[in-house]
Amino acid sequence: MAKLTPAMRALLWSAGIIFLADRLTKWAVIDLIDLPRIGRMEVVDPFLNFVMAWNEGINFGLTFAPPEIMRWTLIVLAIGISLGLFVWSRKRGDMPVAIGSGIVIGGALGNAWDRVQYGAVADFLNMSCCGISNPYAFNIADVAIFAGAALIAWKA
């Protein structure tokens, strides 16, 4: 078995931390707070609220197929992208790209887990500002995917 390089250790740690943070926050809002029943909870209104939303599609609930086909297609896609990023990062070997890849992988697998467990991604963070009301919700995994992709784009 090949020894893990520092970059690959960083990738695995960052993926694990993001995945765990995503799972913990979703467990807290779904099981502890029972946001699916409550529907909405003001946190720092209007800047941050918890609003339960189940995303069966891609971004903003966009779909291209019936729900079950969409669900399993997106699970397979998330796993495939995660494996591809892992292999690509391993070949590159540099730390920033490995960390960014790990962040994306952790987020992608967190959302894939939701699709397996719930049939849809659990979104609950809603942020608005300055008189503009945002109708969409997102989660920690979504933030991680965006941040990790930005880091990869910046450093690759």
Side-chain angles (χ1 to χ4, degrees), residues 1 28 37 52 65-66 78 103 106 154 156:
M1 182 175 202
R37 183 184 58 79
M52 194 70 231
I103 292 169
W154 181 44

Side-chain angles (χ1 to χ4, degrees), residues 33 35 38-52 124 126:
I33 297 172
L35 195 61
I38 297 168
R40 179 182 175 85
M41 173 187 268
E42 292 181 359
V43 179
V44 183
D45 193 46
F47 303 109
L48 174 64
N49 293 300
F50 293 166
V51 178
M52 194 70 231
F124 61 92
N126 175 264

